[in-house]
Amino acid sequence: MSGSAKVSDAVLDVLVIGAGVTGIYQLYRAREEGFSAKLLEAGTGVGGTWYWNRYPEARFDSESYTYGYLFSKELWEEWEWTERFAGQPEIERYFNHVVDKFDLRRDIEFNTKVAAGEFDEPSGTWTVRTVDGAEYRARFLVAATGVLSVPFIPDVPGQFDFRGEQHHTGRWPKTPIDFTGKRVALIGTGSSGVQIVPAIADQVDSLTVYQRTPDWCTPLNNAPITPEEQATLKADFEKIRETLNTSPSGFLHDFPTRNSTDDTKEQRREFFEKLWNSPGFTKLTQNYIDFTTNPEVNKEFCEFLAEKVRAIVADPATADNLIPKDHIYAGRRPPFVTGYYQAYNKPNVSLVALKQTPITRITETGIETAEGLREFDIIIWATGYDFGTGALNRLGVRGRAGLPLEEYWADGPSTYLGIATAGFPNFFFPGGPHGALGNNPRYAGDQVDGVIGALQHARDNGYHIIEVDPDAEQEWTDTVNGSGSLFLESSYFFGANIPGKAVKQLLNPTGRPNLQRLIAENAANKYSAFILSKVEEAAA
């Protein structure tokens, strides 16, 4: 350790890692409940995903006002989102506004990347070390590192030989990239890739999109929030908060009221047209009641979407390559787009289907496939993340007897309610693996509240150690892994995009209501799913 490295003698109550939407809320709740707390953040600013992902046209596909915080009416009323789906600059401004309004910045250490976290059994505390040698001690460690925080780039031969620029969407530089007149390759067409394509198509000399698997993309249908809508949002805060706090999806969407069999085929087509023109995730949340359980109506919707693609994209071969063949709607995480399909009608935009024409290597000047070499000035990797466990497994977390978290989770995560894991006392990870499906800040907020409730109970009753009962963990993990999922096992929600990673459920398909119910039951039962003890008892 260098002589200049910071070593804190004080033992904090709560040490939070990560200044994204979940970490900021965890810090706020900890301080509000009287705990001494500090937050460590690897970046130079707050926002988490919305700090690192600043590529052109990065934006929400959850309605802006449903993504933001609900703990303060004053915050809700004073902050006006300008768009239904805000862009990255506005999102980053929002998080900075929040940390300054509630004076959280004084307890955030920026440029502080965690290298290791070790649990000391005799004292019942965590020691966290950073890459620059700083050291912090805390009773409780909360890793709010998120599920989309470790970029993944596939191992392609020659990747480091390329002499031009290379950027991953999840680590986009703060200095804007000049695409003017450049030959650009974009690898990957998930949620990030499909946002970038139309954003840069008119700036570049050429844009070649390398696509492995097409997704069912539908229009985002963004729009400015009108003054009348702003007034309604402010006036209805209490009602909106209640809806968002109890909504299974975490969205402000009405529940579907009809089964597909209630309508004729012509009526269903009219309904699908209405959905096509509706905002964001309503294509899923406001579809027919039986949409996710009746494959036939889902296939019918997909046929409708395929017709839309063929009607928009002029070249039949390109259109065909953009239409999924291996899954129905929501078999993979559905992206929402603005002008994506239309971009392929531009003469400088082309598509390479990687399953037909795989990349063989990256060269000094470009990308080589079986069809030959294409030269580029810039390569963009829109190849996703090590979802769910990627960040947690890289923190160097060591539990009882020095057990590495990445070793304990080698065959997939094992958790209780997606917030804690056995053998790692006083360690929590809200917003991590086994969280619910839906609007992330809503279910992650439920988990933060659950963590704070457990910490308060321990403090009020003189306990120093909170540890998951292995039986409770096993029951929850078995429930998660034994439940069916909308998503294919080949999707990143199972970790299948990472070579060598165990293919297991990384989300909780049982839903947010079940998560909320179990959090409430555990609290009502005096946190019986945890083993609570004093330091001297734990040491014995």
Side-chain angles (χ1 to χ4, degrees):
M1 184 181 299
S2 66
S4 60
K6 182 194 318 184
V7 178
S8 175
D9 294 326
V11 178
L12 294 161
D13 293 326
V14 181
L15 183 63
V16 183
I17 303 172
V21 62
T22 305
I24 292 170
Y25 183 49
Q26 184 74 70
L27 177 63
Y28 170 82
R29 284 299 319 273
R31 285 203 353 198
E32 285 295 294
E33 300 306 330
F35 293 101
S36 62
K38 189 175 288 293
L39 187 153
L40 308 182
E41 166 56 42
T44 61
V46 298
T49 293
W50 302 107
Y51 168 85
W52 298 105
N53 287 258
R54 52 183 71 242
Y55 57 83
E57 270 304 296
R59 65 176 57 249
F60 284 150
D61 54 17
S62 300
E63 285 84 356
S64 305
Y65 41 84
T66 71
Y67 196 96
Y69 297 112
L70 304 174
F71 60 78
S72 167
K73 183 177 182 180
E74 184 178 297
L75 171 64
W76 178 274
E77 291 180 339
E78 72 184 14
W79 182 269
E80 291 192 351
W81 294 101
T82 62
E83 295 179 276
R84 180 184 288 156
F85 302 100
Q88 185 275 334
E90 183 174 6
I91 300 166
E92 189 177 15
R93 288 196 300 272
Y94 172 75
F95 286 118
N96 276 284
H97 174 75
V98 171
V99 299
D100 290 332
K101 177 178 177 61
F102 297 100
D103 193 27
L104 300 177
R105 196 178 297 273
R106 63 183 169 90
D107 287 323
I108 302 175
E109 299 278 352
F110 294 104
N111 285 311
T112 306
K113 184 176 176 60
V114 171
E118 299 176 5
F119 182 69
D120 179 67
E121 297 187 43
S123 66
T125 60
W126 283 88
T127 298
V128 172
R129 297 178 181 84
T130 68
V131 294
D132 63 1
E135 191 173 287
Y136 302 84
R137 292 179 65 211
R139 179 72 67 193
F140 301 103
L141 178 62
V142 182
T145 49
V147 291
L148 296 171
S149 49
V150 176
F152 170 68
I153 295 180
D155 185 14
V156 180
Q159 177 189 336
F160 301 106
D161 296 336
F162 184 63
R163 293 186 303 201
E165 294 182 52
Q166 294 190 70
H167 303 284
H168 190 286
T169 52
R171 288 295 182 270
W172 204 262
K174 286 186 176 181
T175 303
I177 297 170
D178 184 7
F179 289 103
T180 306
K182 300 293 178 61
R183 301 163 299 172
V184 179
L186 173 70
I187 303 173
T189 54
S191 296
S192 299
V194 298
Q195 288 181 327
I196 292 177
V197 169
I200 67 173
D202 289 333
Q203 303 171 43
V204 301
D205 174 73
S206 66
L207 174 59
T208 305
V209 181
Y210 291 84
Q211 171 192 266
R212 184 185 65 171
T213 305
D215 289 305
W216 293 111
C217 300
T218 54
L220 180 64
N221 292 319
N222 194 19
I225 299 176
T226 67
E228 294 75 20
E229 289 170 327
Q230 298 282 13
T232 299
L233 287 170
K234 292 178 182 180
D236 291 348
F237 170 70
E238 297 295 347
K239 178 182 176 183
I240 290 171
R241 177 164 63 179
E242 175 65 20
T243 299
L244 290 175
N245 281 340
T246 56
S247 162
S249 64
F251 292 114
L252 200 63
H253 299 163
D254 294 331
F255 289 105
T257 58
R258 298 177 66 79
N259 282 297
S260 61
T261 52
D262 295 333
D263 290 343
T264 65
K265 187 169 184 176
E266 290 73 23
Q267 290 171 324
R268 288 195 294 272
R269 185 174 182 84
E270 290 177 8
F271 178 62
F272 292 155
E273 187 68 41
K274 180 181 176 181
L275 288 176
W276 176 264
N277 292 296
S278 68
F281 273 101
T282 54
K283 282 89 168 171
L284 183 59
T285 61
Q286 293 185 327
N287 215 306
Y288 287 111
I289 295 171
D290 58 339
F291 181 69
T292 59
T293 58
N294 181 350
E296 293 310 311
V297 68
N298 195 313
K299 290 176 183 176
E300 192 175 325
F301 183 58
C302 292
E303 291 169 4
F304 168 83
L305 298 181
E307 289 178 19
K308 286 289 189 181
V309 176
R310 292 190 180 99
I312 295 170
V313 180
D315 178 59
T318 300
D320 189 64
N321 281 326
L322 289 167
I323 296 170
K325 309 295 193 302
D326 63 349
H327 66 280
I328 54 180
Y329 191 79
R332 288 161 51 91
R333 202 272 198 196
F336 301 97
V337 297
T338 301
Y340 174 63
Y341 292 126
Q342 290 84 346
Y344 290 100
N345 293 331
K346 298 179 184 293
N348 64 330
V349 179
S350 60
L351 180 71
V352 176
L354 290 176
K355 289 184 179 178
Q356 302 167 22
T357 312
I359 294 173
T360 54
R361 66 176 291 103
I362 309 291
T363 72
E364 292 183 350
T365 59
I367 297 176
E368 189 177 278
T369 69
E371 294 183 348
L373 173 68
R374 295 194 188 195
E375 296 191 333
F376 299 106
D377 303 300
I378 300 173
I379 296 176
I380 300 172
W381 297 89
T383 45
Y385 300 86
D386 186 348
F387 182 83
T389 58
L392 292 168
N393 280 341
R394 288 169 172 80
L395 285 178
V397 174
R398 301 294 180 262
R400 288 196 182 278
L403 176 64
L405 180 64
E406 66 272 22
E407 182 179 306
Y408 185 55
W409 283 0
D411 294 327
S414 182
T415 80
Y416 174 67
L417 305 186
I419 59 174
T421 189
F424 296 80
N426 295 358
F427 176 62
F428 304 93
F429 40 87
H434 292 176
L437 292 168
N439 194 4
N440 180 282
R442 302 282 67 88
Y443 73 74
D446 298 336
Q447 293 174 311
V448 167
D449 293 339
V451 170
I452 286 294
L455 268 55
Q456 288 175 296
H457 178 79
R459 179 181 61 187
D460 295 347
N461 291 276
Y463 296 115
H464 308 112
I465 307 295
I466 305 173
E467 189 167 5
V468 174
D469 184 324
D471 290 339
E473 175 183 283
Q474 191 64 55
E475 181 179 355
W476 173 253
T477 302
D478 287 347
T479 297
V480 168
N481 289 331
S483 300
S485 174
L486 282 172
F487 302 107
L488 298 176
E489 287 194 7
S490 58
S491 76
Y492 69 78
F493 288 128
F494 283 79
N497 63 316
I498 307 298
K501 187 170 182 175
V503 178
K504 292 289 181 67
Q505 288 269 21
L506 295 174
L507 286 177
N508 157 33
T510 69
R512 185 189 184 197
N514 189 43
L515 178 69
Q516 290 178 318
R517 177 182 63 82
L518 291 171
I519 289 173
E521 285 182 3
N522 192 34
N525 292 328
K526 299 182 179 180
Y527 297 90
S528 59
F530 294 119
I531 300 169
L532 303 169
S533 61
K534 296 177 171 58
V535 168
E536 56 271 21
E537 296 169 346

